[in-house]
Amino acid sequence: MFPRKVIIYITLLIANVLFPNALWAQDKADNGPLVLQRGTNISHWLSQSRLRGKDRAAFFTEKDVTFIKDHGFDHIRLPVDEEQLWSEDYTKNKEAFELLHQAMQWCYLHHLNAVVDLHILRSHYFDAREKPLWTQPEAQERFLQCWRELSDELKRYPVSMLAYELLNEPVADSADQWNELLARGVALIRAKEPKRVIVIGSNRWQSTSTFPQLKVPENDPNIILSFHFYNPFVLTHHMAKWTKIRDYDGPVHYPGATITQKEMNALPATISNLLYGGEKVYNRDTMQAQLQPAIQLSKRLKLPLYCGEWGCLNTVPRKDRLNWYKDLRKVLEQNNIAWSNWDYKSNSFGIIGDDGEADKTLLKTLTK
């Protein structure tokens, strides 16, 4: 006799070929609500990556899924980019979609939930200077078409297992621009999948501070409100090469002032001017206060909260870094906020380094 999970896996593969549009939700458990608690981001695989072919396939495997599940996580957040899934003529990349389905099948087999996050569009990258998504109707239609096709591909998976995140870190000139496009995106998904959970965040990098400007579609219980948390930025992105603060290589601290006033006074103005707020005291109380706009909206609308990204670079002194993770995790969980750390595999934020070895202390801080 074959093991049960082997039989299930073979069945899923056959069903995927013979019945590509059929839902796999046969068990009563598959028809229940989606539950998210602890997750990790599978970044730099189907998003922000130049890997292709065998290298891309080898980056994330079933072994990773079992590792994540066995260490106490209940879901993954999977960023995907338009340029990974579709060519410039909008033809689907068969290989990339096969990898996406393979990941979903592994999650289903190992009872791991997933959030598929449309991370970067050709018309919108959160750090780009020009973002045609907010000014060109054809770019907005392309965004909607991406979701038509993603829904057609992914609707076969149980609503109890998979959620859609419409757009990662929208950065529009005004909240109204995002709210209007968000409403169109939700309406599109609802016409195709009435019960699918949709994850939405506020304008300008999904900051908690912009939650008061977020317009959430009314009378829709299948929505999760999402924010990202990298505060204080001077700490979490210490010496990050892609930021304006990359040239500051002095000390940073947590808890307390990230950079003491004495340390700040010793810096040339060209550096200190970039470190605005670096002398501010950060601790659990600060975190709790900064989460309030999201918590208040969540309570008013009776919708769950999700911190879809949070992380601190390993350029930060180890003790301070681990203290930050410990405190933020405690604050999130005390407020019943589900989370997904950034990220699973990388040499900067990751639980797993590029050498394939796990940071056991960080892993313990996140899961024990």
Side-chain angles (χ1 to χ4, degrees):
M1 294 289 291
F2 290 105
R4 181 176 180 272
K5 74 174 185 177
V6 173
I7 295 173
I8 294 174
Y9 190 44
I10 293 172
T11 301
L12 295 181
L13 290 176
I14 294 172
N16 193 44
V17 174
L18 298 180
F19 309 105
N21 294 317
L23 285 173
W24 292 348
Q26 299 299 322
D27 299 333
K28 290 183 179 179
D30 291 338
N31 296 319
L34 174 74
V35 177
L36 303 178
Q37 292 182 321
R38 299 176 185 169
T40 188
N41 275 271
I42 313 303
S43 64
H44 306 296
W45 182 45
L46 295 177
S47 172
Q48 297 176 290
S49 172
R50 296 180 180 178
L51 297 177
R52 296 295 185 272
K54 293 181 179 179
D55 290 337
R56 181 165 62 176
F59 183 83
F60 185 70
T61 68
E62 187 174 10
K63 182 178 178 181
D64 293 300
V65 171
T66 59
F67 179 93
I68 291 167
K69 179 67 176 181
D70 290 346
H71 284 82
F73 297 94
D74 69 335
H75 75 279
I76 61 170
R77 180 175 182 258
L78 179 55
V80 299
D81 291 353
E82 180 186 7
E83 67 94 15
Q84 289 261 350
L85 297 181
W86 292 274
S87 63
E88 291 190 8
D89 65 0
Y90 306 145
T91 303
K92 289 180 183 177
N93 183 307
K94 181 180 178 182
E95 177 186 297
F97 271 96
E98 286 176 350
L99 291 175
L100 176 58
H101 280 297
Q102 189 175 65
M104 293 302 99
Q105 291 163 20
W106 288 332
C107 286
Y108 183 88
L109 176 63
H110 296 286
H111 306 289
L112 198 67
N113 295 333
V115 176
V116 170
D117 148 52
L118 187 53
H119 206 70
I120 297 175
L121 295 163
R122 290 187 172 94
S123 63
H124 184 275
Y125 171 54
F126 40 87
D127 278 346
R129 182 171 297 179
E130 299 294 329
K131 304 177 187 69
L133 181 62
W134 311 116
T135 58
Q136 298 179 6
E138 57 271 26
Q140 296 187 4
E141 176 54 36
R142 176 61 197 157
F143 162 73
L144 296 173
Q145 183 61 23
C146 286
W147 275 112
R148 289 188 188 97
E149 296 185 20
L150 279 170
S151 174
D152 287 342
E153 290 281 347
L154 299 175
K155 65 184 180 183
R156 69 194 71 172
Y157 301 101
V159 296
S160 60
M161 168 201 152
L162 175 62
Y164 302 160
E165 185 165 356
L166 288 184
L167 183 63
N168 176 72
E169 296 192 356
V171 184
D173 291 334
S174 73
D176 287 343
Q177 289 175 311
W178 168 231
N179 288 333
E180 290 169 7
L181 186 59
L182 164 64
R184 294 172 65 188
V186 170
L188 182 154
I189 298 298
R190 284 291 165 257
K192 299 169 72 65
E193 302 185 63
K195 295 184 179 181
R196 179 69 62 186
V197 171
I198 300 175
V199 178
I200 62 173
S202 59
N203 189 36
R204 302 196 69 78
W205 301 281
Q206 290 177 239
S207 168
T208 56
S209 65
T210 55
F211 258 60
Q213 288 80 53
L214 176 63
K215 186 175 180 180
V216 181
E218 296 180 353
N219 303 316
D220 191 335
N222 296 312
I223 284 178
I224 292 176
L225 304 177
S226 174
F227 63 90
H228 295 173
F229 198 93
Y230 291 103
N231 297 341
F233 192 80
V234 172
L235 176 85
T236 64
H237 285 67
H238 183 47
M239 294 191 290
K241 295 179 181 178
W242 61 93
T243 70
K244 293 180 180 179
I245 62 173
R246 59 183 173 271
D247 293 330
Y248 176 68
D249 58 1
V252 290
H253 318 278
Y254 180 87
T258 306
I259 304 171
T260 67
Q261 193 62 60
K262 181 179 179 180
E263 291 164 346
M264 193 74 81
N265 292 341
L267 295 172
T270 53
I271 299 294
S272 63
N273 289 343
L274 299 175
L275 302 173
Y276 178 78
E279 70 280 8
K280 181 178 179 179
V281 171
Y282 265 85
N283 52 37
R284 286 186 192 175
D285 291 339
T286 314
M287 293 171 171
Q288 177 70 27
Q290 292 185 337
L291 294 182
Q292 285 309 303
I295 292 171
Q296 290 170 9
L297 184 63
S298 169
K299 288 181 177 179
R300 181 166 65 82
L301 299 180
K302 298 181 180 179
L303 293 173
L305 268 181
Y306 177 54
C307 183
E309 290 185 20
W310 59 294
C312 184
L313 282 169
N314 62 6
T315 49
V316 173
R318 186 150 179 85
K319 182 178 179 181
D320 301 77
R321 183 185 188 222
L322 293 174
N323 282 338
W324 183 87
Y325 273 106
K326 180 181 178 181
D327 279 1
L328 183 52
R329 178 192 166 191
K330 189 172 185 66
V331 171
L332 292 173
E333 294 182 354
Q334 283 179 337
N335 287 280
N336 197 32
I337 299 172
W339 55 260
S340 181
N341 79 292
W342 189 275
D343 53 2
Y344 171 60
K345 185 182 290 186
S346 73
N347 258 359
S348 51
F349 288 99
I351 296 170
I352 306 292
D354 290 346
D355 59 1
E357 295 297 316
D359 183 334
K360 295 180 180 179
T361 306
L362 175 58
L363 187 58
K364 183 177 180 181
T365 301
L366 290 170
T367 60
K368 301 299 182 183

